[in-house]
Amino acid sequence: MIGALAVLLAFQLTGEIAIRWSGVPVPGPVVGMLLLFLALRWRKALPDPLRATAETLLSHLSLLFIPAGVGIVQHGARLAEEWLAITVALVLSTLITVAVTALVMQTVIRWRRGAPHDG
């Protein structure tokens, strides 16, 4: 598990370095995750230790929401003052995320079936 965690952190670090070096406005962990995805696609297999570590991390994913919950409690007054803007931003970002996810899913399904694209 330590080795797999080291692999995950190494890809995250690589993403952070790439972002700091290039100045692209994308979070470093996102780039690291993309690099890990590409490495796994190139390798054409997911190593068992990495799979076990990822499943363990995902099973405790709810722990990652504790800092967000603490932030909500700490900034309760500010949230009360700016509730309308926050609500609009949350609703719009959720709708955009759902739409983009649906489009990506359609594209992936077509790609996996080998069907030509409509447009």
Side-chain angles (χ1 to χ4, degrees), residues 89-100:
L90 286 174
V91 169
L92 286 178
S93 64
T94 300
L95 292 175
I96 291 169
T97 300
V98 169
V100 169

Side-chain angles (χ1 to χ4, degrees), residues 70-93:
V70 171
I72 289 173
V73 171
Q74 281 186 331
H75 297 285
R78 186 171 186 182
L79 291 173
E81 292 173 4
E82 300 180 17
W83 67 271
L84 181 60
I86 292 170
T87 302
V88 169
L90 286 174
V91 169
L92 286 178
S93 64

